Amino acid sequence: MEEKLTLFKNRKRFGIEKNIDIIFKNTALVLSSFVAIILLGIILVVFFQSFESFSKYGLKFLFTSEWNPVKDEYGAFAAIYGTVITSLFSIFITIPLGVGTAIFITEDFAPKIIREIIGSFVELLAAIPSVVLGLWAIFVMEPFFRGFFALLHSWFSWIPLFSSEPTGRNSLLAILILVVMLLPIVTSISRDTLNQVPKKLRNAAYGIGASRWKTIFSVILPAALSGIMAGVLLALGRAMGETMAVTMIIGNSNAFSWSLLSPGYTISSMLANQFGEADGTQVSSLFYAAFILMILSLLVNIFAQFLVKRFSLKYR
Amino acid sequence: MQNHNLFYQNKSSRNITDIFLTSISFLFALFAILPLILVVSYILFKGGSQISLDLFTLEPNPPGDEFSAGGINPALVGTLIITSIASLIAIPIGMGGGIYLAEYSKGGLFARFIRFGVNVLAGVPSIIAGVFIYALIVSTKIIFGSTYSGLAGGIALSILMLPSVIKTTDEGLKLVPNELRQASLGIGASMYTTILRITLPAAFRSIATGVVLGIARAAGETAPLIFTALFSYYYVSGFEDLFYEMGSLSVLIYNFALEPYDVQNKLAWAASFILVLSILFVNIFARILANITTKEKRI
Amino acid sequence: MIKNKKQKNKIISLDNVSISYGSFEVVKNIFCDFKKGCITSLIGPSGCGKSTVLRSLNRMNDLIPNCSLKGTVMFDGINIYDKKIDPVEVRRRIGMVFQQPNPFPKSIYENIAFGARINGYVGNMDELVENSLIKAALWDECKDKLGDSGYSLSGGQQQRLCIARTIAIEPQVILMDEPCSALDPISTLKIEETMHELKKNFTIIIVTHNMQQALRVSDMTAFFNAVEYEDGDGGKVGYLAEYGSTSKIFNSPKEKTTQEYISGKFG
Ligand SMILES: Nc1ncnc2c1ncn2[C@@H]1O[C@H](COP(=O)(O)OP(=O)(O)OP(=O)(O)O)[C@@H](O)[C@H]1O
Ligand SMILES: [Mg+2]
C-alpha cells in the first residue's frame, strides 16, 4: 500500500494549495461585499453633498419651484411634480398594454411562432438605448403628434392637464416615450409570472365550465397579481429614474404648470441639464434633488422585491 | 331534445365577450411591437443613408459648419474604450461576487443581504451613478488630477454593469447540478479547483450570454457619461487620452440631436444606426446561443 | 493481545456519533468499527440515515448547510473531525461513489485523469486510465472511444466510469451509496464482480436496499433502524440496530426487527 501511495504526490495538500483555496474564497467574499460598499457609498456621498442645500432650504425645497442661480434660490417642486406625474401616467398607460400583450403571448390564441416573434420583438425593444428613443421622439414622434395635441387642447382645455397651448416638446410626449420604455419591462415580467401560474388552477376553472376570459380574469390574473405588481413597481422605478429620452423630449422648463401640454422637468432631466455647469449652492441643491430621486426609487424597488418574494413563496 | 344544447353559439353574449377581449389583447400585442418596428425602420432609413467611409474615419466638426458634420471616429473609439474599461472592472468583481454567493455562502444572512443589495443597486437610476462618480472622482480630481475623463466614465458605467454580472454568475452557477460538485469534491478536489475546472466551465455559456447582454446594454448608456466622460471632438491618439474628456456614440447622439443644424442631426442618426445595429446584433446572437444551450440541456 | 489485533484491523470507527440537520437529529449514538480489507454493507429502511452516516465518513456532509456532527470518527487512528484536519485530504484517502452516476462533462479519459492529476499522480497516465477502467470492468466497452464525452455512455457504464474514477486515485476506503440502484441486473452483477476484485486492495463500505446484494458482496453488515422520538412528536431518529458478520446477521440475527427487515416484513 505505502509503495503505491508514492505515485500520488499531493495526497497531503501542501501549503500552497491550501493557501490558494483560502485566498480564493476570501477574494470572492471581498468582491461580493463590493456591492454593499458601492450602495452605501452612493447613499452617503449623495446625502453629504446635499447637506449644504438641505440645511439652507430644508423641506421648503420640496414645495417651491423657484430655481434661480442669480438669487441663489432653489426649490425642486416642478421637477418632483414632473417626475411623479410622468412616471405615474406612463405606468398607468403601460399596465393594460403590457399585461394584455403578456396574456396574448402566454395564452394559445395564435400559433406559437407568432407569439414567440412578438415576445422577442418586445424584448429587443428593451435593448434600444434610451438616447436613441429620445432622438426618434424629437424627430418623428413630436411632429406626428403636433396636430393631435392641438385638437386635445381645443377640446379639453377646461381640464387643467390640457389647459395650455401645446408648444413643441412637452410632458405628454415624455409620458409617451416612457410608455415605449416601460412596455418591455411590464410585458416580460408579466409573461414570466403568468407562465409560473400552475396549470392545475387553470384546469380547475375550465373544469367547472368557465369561459377562457372568465378564467383569465377570475383565476389566472389574481394568482399572478403580486408578480405582475412587482413588475409594475420595477417599471415605475425605471420611469422615475429614466433620464435621456425624457430630457430630450420634455422641454426642460422649471416653470411649474399643471398642464401636460407645456414643457416640464423631472429630477433626472434637471440633473442631466444642469449638473455639468453648476457651482456653489446649485450643485448641492442638485445633489439634494438627486437624493430625493434616489429615496423614491429605492422605496419603490424595495417594495417590488418584497412582492417578488411573496409571489415566489406562494408558488414554490 | 332538450332546451339547451352543446353546439357552439356565435351569438351568445359569453362568446362575443370572449372574442372581443381576445381581439383587444391582439391589438395590444400589435401595439407593443409597433415602436420597435418604427424606431428600427427610421434608424435604418435615416441613418443608413449617411453611412460612408468618412463617417468612420473623421472627427466630428464643431456645430456651425453647414456643409459637413464630419465623422464619428472619436465617439466610436470612445464607446469601445469606455465599455471595455467598464467590463474590465465589472466582470471580475461581479463574477467573484457571484461565485461567492452561489458556491460558498450556503444561503446565510450575509448572502441574502448581498443579493438584496444587488437588486437594489440594479434599480438605482443610471444618472445617480453618474452623480456619484462625479462627486467621488471628477470633482475631487483624485485620478492624477484629471477631471472629466474616459476612465471616470468607464468607472461610472461599471457600477451599472456590476449587478447584472453578479446576477448572471450567481444564477448560472446555481443551475449547475450539485452532483457535479460532489463528484469533484468526492475525489479530493479543492474547492477552487472544483469551481474553476468543473462548475464554472459547466455554467460558462449561460454566464457568457448574460455578461454579453450586459455589455451591450452598457454600450448604449448615456446618463452616467454626460458629466463623467463628457464629450470630445478629437481623435483618441494615445494612452494618456484616457485621462481627458472622451466622446462616445451615445453622448454624441444626445448632443447632436439637440443642435439646431441639420447636418449635426444627420450625424446623430448615423451614430444611432451603428449603435443600434451592433446592439441588436449582439442581442440576437446571444439569444440564439442561449437557446442552443437550453435545448442541449433538455436532451 | 487479542485487543491489539482488533485495533489493527479496524480502519474507521464511529464513537458515539450523532448527526443533525439544523435542530433535527437524524441519527443518534452510533458506535461502529469498520474492518480493513472488508466489504461492509449498510442496510435499513428508507430515511433511517444510512446516506447521512456514509457521507459523514469522508466529510461530504460539510457541503450541506447546517449539518452538524457530535462524537468522533476515527480514521487510521486520527479523528477526522478534529479542527486541524483538512477535509479535502480526508476525501483523497476516502473516495465516494454516488447513487446517481455523475461523470464530469469531459471525455472518458479526462474523467479519470482529472482526479489523478489533482492528487499529484506522477506515473504513466495512460496506464492508470487503462488499469482503472479494467478494474471497473469498463475497459472492453470503451477502449476505442476514450475521447468521447462521459455522457455518451449508458447509465450503468457511467456508474462504472465513476467507480473507475474513484479507484484511480487509489483511496484507502471507497464509500458507495446505492451504486446499483439505477442499473440493470447485468450491470449490477458486473459492479459486484468489480467489488470482489477491489476488496484485495481497498476497504469498501456500501449502502444498499438489495438484501441479495448485501448477502452476495459483503463480509460485514450493519442494520440501521429508525424509532420515533421519545417525546413522540412524530419525528424519527435513526440508530444502529445490529452489526456483525453478514452470515450471522442474515442467518441468526439477535434482534427481532432485523429478522423482520431482512425477510421483507417492513422497510
Ligand atoms: N440535506 C438535508 N437536509 C435536511 N434533512 C435531510 C437532508 N438529507 C437528509 N435529510 C433527512 O435525514 C434523514 C435521513 O436521510 P438519509 O438520506 O440519510 O436516509 P437514507 O437512510 O439514506 O434513506 P434512503 O434509503 O431513502 O436513501 C431523512 O429523514 C431526511 O429527511
Ligand atoms: Mg440514501
Side-chain angles (χ1 to χ4, degrees), chain C residues 51 99 177-178:
Chain C
S51 302
Q99 180 167 0
D177 193 351
E178 302 181 45

Side-chain angles (χ1 to χ4, degrees), chain A residues 13 17 21 123 213 275 305, chain B residues 22 119 134 190 192 287:
Chain A
R13 280 214 298 175
E17 202 185 339
D21 219 13
E123 269 173 29
W213 280 94
F275 209 88
Q305 277 196 59
Chain B
T22 305
N119 286 329
Y134 176 88
S190 308
Y192 81 93
R287 267 163 228 278

Side-chain angles (χ1 to χ4, degrees), chain A residues 145-197:
Chain A
F145 279 110
R146 216 174 274 163
F148 175 71
F149 286 168
L151 277 182
L152 207 60
H153 172 65
S154 61
W155 290 340
F156 297 111
S157 56
W158 45 276
I159 303 177
L161 288 176
F162 303 117
S163 58
S164 68
E165 199 76 47
T167 51
R169 299 171 193 174
N170 61 34
S171 306
L172 191 51
L173 285 163
I175 291 172
L176 291 178
I177 201 69
L178 277 175
V179 170
V180 172
M181 310 189 68
L182 304 188
L183 206 50
I185 306 177
V186 173
T187 306
S188 65
I189 296 183
S190 303
R191 182 184 60 182
D192 293 350
T193 327
L194 289 172
N195 275 333
Q196 277 175 36
V197 173

